[in-house]
């Protein structure tokens, strides 16, 4: 049990680094554009351009992908589908829709209202938060499903505790995907 806790902690730490690496990778081109505008003395223009909305749309799309991945990874996790669908709807409603509307409005208008300079960074922060949440939920559900299947608790094998009892007693029943072992005389 003590060995499992540090492994779980290490996995969580690795997932956190991976998540923020993804976020930094998405934001890198927008950072370069912002630095170029800062060099030219037009940093405020970055907030009035659709760049931050584009970054928010990318992260929201990645978040929806992660939520869907968590939803379809294991059929036995169907009891969580309402929560995952809620997060998908929240991402669409709170980030993806407003960011796309802002992008189209900014590109189609010659005069951009000043509130855009405040709304775009807020959308980006919400998108980053939802993406981090999506990765965490997807990994928790994926780990939960594989741990249940590995431990014989009935989450992944369809037999419940009977399979675990049979393995311990020596009476092994084949599972749904168990293939017969090859003998030494078989060709191939």
């Amino acid at each position: 049990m003590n060995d499992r806790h540090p492994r779980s902690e290490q996995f969580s730490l690795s997932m956190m680094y991976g998540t923020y690496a993804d976020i930094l990778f998405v934001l890198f081109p927008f950072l370069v554009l912002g630095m170029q505008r800062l060099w030219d003395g037009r940093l405020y223009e970055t907030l009035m351009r659709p760049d931050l909305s584009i970054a928010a749309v990318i992260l929201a799309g990645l978040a929806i992908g992660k939520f869907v991945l968590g939803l379809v990874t294991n059929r036995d996790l169907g009891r969580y589908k309402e929560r995952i669908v809620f997060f998908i709807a929240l991402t669409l409603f709170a980030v993806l829709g407003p960011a796309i509307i802002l992008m189209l409005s900014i590109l189609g208008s010659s005069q951009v209202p000043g509130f855009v300079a405040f709304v775009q960074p807020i959308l980006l922060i919400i998108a980053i938060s939802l993406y981090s949440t999506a990765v965490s939920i997807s990994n928790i559900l994926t780990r939960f499903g594989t741990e249940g299947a590995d431990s014989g608790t009935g989450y992944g094998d369809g037999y419940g505790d009977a399979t675990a009892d049979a393995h311990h007693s020596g009476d092994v029943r084949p599972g749904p995907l168990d293939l017969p072992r090859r003998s030494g005389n078989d060709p191939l």
Side-chain angles (χ1 to χ4, degrees):
M1 192 73 173
N2 290 339
D3 184 39
R4 183 175 217 137
H5 182 66
R7 227 185 280 161
S8 174
E9 202 172 281
Q10 182 64 29
F11 180 78
S12 297
L13 190 62
S14 296
M15 291 313 304
M16 182 186 71
Y17 284 136
T19 301
Y20 290 117
D22 289 346
I23 292 169
L24 290 174
F25 184 73
V26 168
L27 294 180
F28 180 72
F30 303 103
L31 174 70
V32 171
L33 288 172
M35 289 176 62
Q36 180 61 42
R37 290 193 181 120
L38 176 66
W39 181 266
D40 293 340
R42 302 178 313 178
L43 184 61
Y44 183 71
E45 185 181 314
T46 301
L47 298 174
M48 303 305 281
R49 306 274 304 159
D51 300 345
L52 296 180
S53 291
I54 293 170
V57 166
I58 292 169
L59 287 170
L62 289 172
I64 290 172
K66 290 291 183 181
F67 284 130
V68 170
L69 181 65
L71 186 62
V72 300
T73 298
N74 192 342
R75 297 183 127 210
D76 297 325
L77 300 173
R79 61 185 164 174
Y80 299 110
K81 68 181 169 187
E82 288 84 13
R83 293 177 189 170
I84 295 174
V85 169
F86 167 75
F87 279 110
I88 292 171
L90 181 68
T91 304
L92 286 169
F93 181 76
V95 179
L96 201 60
I100 290 174
I101 290 170
L102 268 177
M103 276 183 354
L104 295 175
S105 298
I106 291 170
L107 291 173
S109 176
S110 60
Q111 195 74 310
V112 180
F115 75 89
V116 170
F118 298 104
V119 173
Q120 285 195 107
I122 291 170
L123 282 176
L124 184 60
I125 290 169
I126 294 171
I128 289 170
S129 300
L130 283 171
Y131 179 71
S132 300
T133 302
V135 170
S136 298
I137 288 173
S138 177
N139 288 324
I140 288 170
L141 292 178
T142 304
R143 258 194 328 180
F144 175 72
T146 58
E147 283 177 2
D150 292 342
S151 66
T153 57
Y155 291 113
D157 57 8
Y159 290 105
D161 292 332
T163 304
D165 294 337
H167 283 290
H168 291 296
S169 68
D171 180 29
V172 179
R173 293 188 309 196
L177 294 177
D178 286 345
L179 299 174
R181 302 226 185 259
R182 264 187 359 181
S183 66
N185 298 336
D186 289 340
L188 293 177

